[in-house]
Amino acid sequence: MWKESKLKWLITGSIFIGIFEFLSLAGIHLPKPLALPFFLTFTLLFGYKTIWHGLQALLALNFKSINFLMLIAIAGAFYLGEYPEGTIVIILFTLAEELEDLGIAKSQSALDSLINKMPRTVLVKGEINAVDVANIAIGTTILIKPGQMIPLDGIVKDGLSFVDESAITGEPIAQDKRPGDSIFAGSLNRQGFLEVEVTKTASESTIEKIREMTFNATQNKAKTQKFIEVFSQYYTPFVILLALFWTLFTWLVLKRPFDQGFADALALLVIACPCALVISTPISIFSAIGNASSSGALIKGGRYLEAIGQIKAMAIDKTRTLTIGEPVVTDVIPFDGHSKELLLSCAAGIEKLSEHPLAQSIVNAAMKENLTPHSVENFESIIGKGAKADCLVCDDKHHCIGKLEFILEEHHVPHPFIDQIDSYQNQGKTVIAVSTHKSLEGIIALEDEIRPNSAQFIADLKSLGIHTVMLTGDHLNVAKSIAKKVGIEAIKADLLPQDKSQAVKELLHDYGIVAMFGDGVNDAPALALSNVGISMSSLGSDTAIEAASIVILNGRLKVIPFLIQLSRKTLTTIKTNIAFALAIKTIFIILALLSLSNLALAIFADVGVTLLVILNSLRLMNFKIEG
């Protein structure tokens, strides 16, 4: 509220003093005895902080300070009797700083606004009065009403609802939530009444981690921003020395009046103020990071935003990036007259008792076909091979299920069946065989389900000129099968985590700037080694959030090409801002040195450039992907 009020006062003050400035340019002046106290009052009222900081810089001999430069400009204007110019320069400088702060605040406003809207209290099951969110312990059951924002991370214990997670993930479609599903602070309960068991305290919630990392992103400055900051430290004292030299040169060498050379030097000081240069990068970076956040991507700093737009190659892990990471049944092939339904029902009955990762996939396939898993007894799991059990439905009770090698230990399998199994394995599929005492009943083929948009994702990367390489710990035939379907030519398979790191090193050597896209857990060494580590994270995965420099929170692969284009647009915007600011400043510096400019023109040119730079940078908040 105070910020808005201060901004209104500054705008009002600028208009008010601007009237006197235009009257002054027209030759209409206040009487000198009245003008000095009148303009001095407004100068101190609006610019006391800048003047005070300028005096501190003078005492500390800190000639790199912009405030010191402004102090010289104000004092010089009043010395020359150009009171309206001295007042307007401080008001417009303060206004520009305020707009700079407003621009940065606006670029961070989406996440900040969400944090401010978070509930401070919540209903706890068994309690009459609402409890402060900060006092809720892990394991507490909280009650979420329809239309209420969810204050803490947790697991649904009871109730059905649709939950809007767009504020965190950027996913516009509300998600169906049932008992056992995870929900996250900052999302909105659209429909039903939910009982939720809290899994994280308020300070450790997903939204709090995102907020913390987003605001800490200002510490990881882009190279461009660091360069501009260093440049301005030398640029400001150079301009002061140039102004001093020009004043003395025109007075002592060219024999012009001291006041004329001093007035030209003041105009030079004002137009050369590096405000527009200094602000050109951070506002662009903050705006782009804010845009990325609303699109479901967490970028941990400006240097990562800058780097992703410059990558020449991307190493991509297969599992949980190009694929969903959950195997699905693709083929059920019965042998010797058995039916597909019988084979799948019997296999599901045995696998229902197994803890093997593929077991649930077979059970899910049976349920999807509305088949009832057979009842079994005498279940025995053989680790690394398969399982045995007696089926209570089939005529031939004894069954074995597992790898072909396991079946061959007890049963003969005809070569045509083995060739068929090899054929599926060559396609990159995992094959499970089912047999009885008498014969091989059939085989079930599974593969990791490819994300629907993986092929488009690879095509988008190629269109952006980025070389793609698949890195996977899976077997080569599996990798080839997936790579062929999504459009990747370069493959490296059977890799351990250290092998992936070595592969990234080779890409860095060949391409210079490289991104690694992995799941954030076993890919951590390769993620850390690359210029940009990108993780496809399920919400709430602390490991993934910590491991990567960019985290995709919504599972949408198309966010990555968007980030690359956003980064390139950001870099272009920064370069445009800098080039535009330097061009205008160069022109007016030359005009000032030729006595063709004055303090008033310099003031409006400087403020105008700063405003245009801010507005141009804020456009990045609304940047959308092409096509």
Side-chain angles (χ1 to χ4, degrees):
M1 191 71 182
W2 157 244
K3 284 279 183 185
E4 293 179 4
S5 177
K6 184 179 179 182
L7 187 62
K8 289 177 181 176
W9 272 107
L10 283 167
I11 293 172
T12 303
S14 300
I15 295 171
F16 181 67
I17 299 299
I19 293 171
F20 284 95
E21 172 62 20
F22 284 116
L23 290 173
S24 174
L25 292 173
I28 303 171
H29 305 277
L30 287 175
K32 281 196 175 181
L34 179 62
L36 179 60
F38 177 80
F39 288 109
L40 184 60
T41 300
F42 276 94
T43 299
L44 294 174
L45 179 65
F46 288 104
Y48 66 93
K49 283 187 177 179
T50 300
I51 294 171
W52 173 244
H53 291 149
L55 289 169
Q56 288 179 316
L58 177 62
L59 293 173
L61 301 178
N62 179 17
F63 303 123
K64 299 176 182 178
S65 169
I66 296 176
N67 292 306
F68 177 59
L69 189 151
M70 283 294 106
L71 177 65
I72 296 174
I74 297 163
F78 273 82
Y79 164 78
L80 294 171
E82 296 183 2
Y83 306 136
E85 285 83 352
T87 305
I88 198 73
V89 73
I90 192 64
I91 293 178
L92 290 179
F93 175 76
T94 307
L95 177 61
E97 283 199 322
E98 199 64 26
L99 287 171
E100 174 185 326
D101 294 339
L102 184 67
I104 292 175
K106 183 174 176 59
S107 68
Q108 298 176 335
S109 61
L111 189 58
D112 211 14
S113 174
L114 177 62
I115 297 295
N116 292 333
K117 288 178 183 176
M118 292 288 290
R120 299 290 183 263
T121 60
V122 66
L123 289 173
V124 174
K125 189 174 183 179
E127 299 284 342
I128 298 175
N129 298 319
V131 179
D132 192 317
V133 169
N135 296 329
I136 300 296
I138 294 173
T140 304
T141 300
I142 60 175
L143 308 177
I144 310 296
K145 297 178 181 179
Q148 183 180 354
M149 185 169 282
I150 296 165
L152 296 160
D153 290 7
I155 296 174
V156 177
K157 304 302 290 183
D158 191 28
L160 302 173
S161 184
F162 287 99
V163 174
D164 181 355
E165 298 177 340
S166 60
I168 304 173
T169 67
E171 179 60 54
I173 301 173
Q175 303 297 305
D176 182 22
K177 296 295 180 179
R178 300 170 178 272
D181 290 343
S182 296
I183 60 173
F184 304 95
S187 49
L188 181 65
N189 182 23
R190 286 287 187 190
Q191 195 175 54
F193 186 88
L194 295 175
E195 289 188 10
V196 176
E197 181 181 321
V198 175
T199 55
K200 290 184 180 180
T201 61
S203 61
E204 293 297 320
S205 67
T206 298
I207 189 66
E208 180 59 28
K209 275 190 171 293
I210 292 173
R211 185 202 68 81
E212 180 183 336
M213 290 184 179
T214 299
F215 291 118
N216 285 344
T218 57
Q219 304 303 314
N220 290 318
K221 296 179 180 178
K223 291 180 180 179
T224 308
Q225 185 176 352
K226 290 180 180 179
F227 170 77
I228 291 296
E229 289 176 354
V230 172
F231 172 76
S232 65
Q233 290 180 355
Y234 295 96
Y235 172 82
T236 304
F238 169 76
V239 168
I240 293 172
L241 288 174
L242 179 61
L244 177 61
F245 165 79
W246 191 251
T247 302
L248 297 176
F249 179 76
T250 55
W251 181 40
L252 299 175
V253 179
L254 300 182
K255 303 302 181 182
R256 295 178 184 173
F258 174 81
D259 286 0
Q260 180 184 341
F262 187 48
D264 292 341
L266 287 181
L268 186 153
L269 279 179
V270 171
I271 190 58
C273 177
C275 296
L277 292 173
V278 172
I279 196 58
S280 62
T281 303
I283 284 193
S284 297
I285 294 292
F286 296 152
S287 296
I289 288 178
N291 186 336
S293 178
S294 65
S295 300
L298 172 61
I299 302 178
K300 294 186 181 179
R303 65 187 175 116
Y304 303 120
L305 174 69
E306 185 180 66
I308 194 172
Q310 299 172 328
I311 62 171
K312 304 299 181 186
M314 182 180 293
I316 306 172
D317 182 37
K318 174 182 68 67
T319 308
R320 288 184 294 274
T321 50
L322 297 174
T323 66
I324 294 174
E326 297 177 3
V328 293
V329 173
T330 59
D331 305 274
V332 179
I333 301 95
F335 297 150
D336 287 347
H338 295 287
S339 69
K340 176 181 176 180
E341 290 76 16
L342 180 69
L343 176 62
L344 190 55
S345 298
C346 188
I350 301 171
E351 295 289 29
K352 195 173 182 180
L353 302 177
S354 174
E355 296 181 356
H356 192 277
L358 298 179
Q360 189 59 47
S361 299
I362 294 174
V363 174
N364 290 343
M367 301 302 286
K368 188 177 180 180
E369 297 290 332
N370 294 317
L371 300 175
T372 303
H374 288 182
S375 298
V376 300
E377 63 182 6
N378 301 323
F379 174 82
E380 181 185 358
S381 176
I382 294 88
I383 296 175
K385 294 183 178 181
K388 299 178 180 180
D390 293 334
C391 179
L392 301 179
V393 177
C394 297
D395 294 333
D396 193 345
K397 288 188 175 183
H398 179 73
H399 282 75
C400 294
I401 184 170
K403 296 179 180 179
L404 176 61
E405 294 81 2
F406 173 55
I407 304 298
L408 288 171
E409 288 179 6
E410 296 185 8
H411 308 286
H412 170 72
V413 178
H415 279 291
F417 293 165
I418 294 176
D419 292 341
Q420 196 166 357
I421 290 171
D422 289 341
S423 173
Y424 281 108
Q425 289 178 334
N426 290 334
Q427 295 175 35
K429 296 182 179 182
T430 300
V431 179
I432 301 297
V434 183
S435 75
T436 66
H437 269 312
K438 296 178 180 178
S439 64
L440 187 67
E441 282 191 327
I443 58 175
I444 299 173
L446 304 95
E447 69 176 356
D448 193 355
E449 187 175 4
I450 298 174
R451 291 183 185 272
N453 48 4
S454 290
Q456 184 60 51
F457 165 61
I458 298 300
D460 289 342
L461 292 179
K462 288 181 178 178
S463 70
L464 294 170
I466 296 168
H467 175 70
T468 55
V469 181
M470 179 190 289
L471 306 182
T472 179
D474 217 333
H475 298 303
L476 182 60
N477 58 345
V478 177
K480 282 182 176 179
S481 173
I482 300 295
K484 183 178 180 180
K485 291 174 182 176
V486 300
I488 296 179
E489 288 84 21
I491 305 164
K492 292 191 177 183
D494 296 302
L495 301 179
L496 296 173
Q498 57 267 33
D499 300 324
K500 291 183 181 180
S501 295
Q502 182 58 39
V504 169
K505 285 182 182 178
E506 292 171 4
L507 286 172
L508 287 167
H509 177 268
D510 294 339
Y511 292 92
I513 302 179
V514 174
M516 171 67 193
F517 179 27
D519 64 11
V521 183
N522 61 353
D523 296 319
L527 288 167
L529 190 62
S530 63
N531 301 101
V532 185
I534 307 170
S535 170
M536 180 71 77
S537 165
S538 59
L539 279 172
S541 172
D542 294 340
T543 304
I545 289 177
E546 294 295 337
S549 44
I550 296 178
V551 183
I552 310 302
L553 296 171
N554 56 19
R556 293 158 64 190
L557 291 173
K558 67 178 183 180
V559 172
I560 296 175
F562 165 73
L563 292 179
I564 294 169
Q565 292 192 52
L566 175 63
S567 170
R568 292 178 180 179
K569 180 66 175 177
T570 302
L571 293 172
T572 300
T573 299
I574 291 170
K575 290 173 183 176
T576 301
N577 287 343
I578 293 171
F580 173 69
L582 286 175
I584 296 298
K585 289 179 182 297
T586 300
I587 291 169
F588 274 85
I589 286 172
I590 293 171
L591 291 175
L593 294 176
L594 296 175
S595 298
L596 297 175
S597 180
N598 57 45
L599 192 55
L601 285 175
I603 292 166
F604 288 112
D606 177 60
V607 174
V609 169
T610 302
L611 288 176
L612 289 173
V613 163
I614 291 172
L615 293 173
N616 191 39
S617 299
L618 289 176
R619 289 171 60 233
L620 289 166
M621 293 187 68
N622 300 315
F623 175 78
K624 302 297 180 184
I625 195 166
E626 296 176 6

